[in-house]
Amino acid sequence: QVQLVESGGGLVQAGDSLRLSCAASGRTFSSYGMGWFRQAPGKEREFVTAISKTGGATSYADSVEGRFTISRDNAKNTVYLQMNSLKPEDTAVYYCAATNSYYSTRSRTYDYWGQGTQVTVSS
């Protein structure tokens, strides 16, 4: 089992940057593919990005491709989400998740979830 704690959210203006962190504890962090999802008010949770266990493979939603970057540091048991050129439509609660799969874009394959961190982008 693994516990996940996100941090780094906040209120920013359009065009700004933020870096989210997700610290993991419990079982060996490198055993998990990791992902970021987000949920805006009144909308379903959606995939943002994912990274493989070793960090060698990544995937991004079209809406964030070229603006967001996922990375991981297995020595620090942490996964990061660098968000640049933020837009008001990026406003959501961002969740970190861990999967026993190599990595996945589907939320149903993730076994562990953090509590979420709020990102608000003003226009």
Side-chain angles (χ1 to χ4, degrees), residues 44-67:
E44 294 187 352
R45 187 175 299 184
E46 66 174 359
F47 169 75
V48 176
T49 180
I51 190 167
S52 63
K53 297 179 181 183
T54 61
T58 58
S59 180
Y60 295 91
D62 290 343
S63 58
V64 307
E65 181 83 52
R67 299 188 298 122

Side-chain angles (χ1 to χ4, degrees), residues 7-8 15-22 36 48-49 60 64-72 79-86 90 94:
S7 61
D16 286 351
S17 298
L18 272 178
R19 188 175 82 155
L20 305 184
S21 299
C22 173
W36 287 95
V48 176
T49 180
Y60 295 91
V64 307
E65 181 83 52
R67 299 188 298 122
F68 290 12
T69 303
I70 189 171
S71 61
R72 66 188 296 163
V79 62
Y80 304 98
L81 179 61
Q82 178 67 44
M83 304 185 294
N84 298 331
S85 302
L86 283 161
D90 294 318
Y94 283 72

Side-chain angles (χ1 to χ4, degrees), residues 3 32 40 51 53 57 59 70 72 78 88-89 95 108 121 123:
Q3 292 77 43
Y32 297 96
I51 190 167
K53 297 179 181 183
S59 180
I70 189 171
R72 66 188 296 163
T78 303
E89 51 263 44
Y95 297 91
R108 68 182 64 184
V121 184
S123 58

Side-chain angles (χ1 to χ4, degrees), residues 12-39:
V12 297
Q13 293 187 330
D16 286 351
S17 298
L18 272 178
R19 188 175 82 155
L20 305 184
S21 299
C22 173
S25 60
R27 277 192 58 192
T28 306
F29 179 65
S30 59
S31 299
Y32 297 96
M34 299 298 296
W36 287 95
F37 293 78
R38 66 186 182 187
Q39 187 167 19

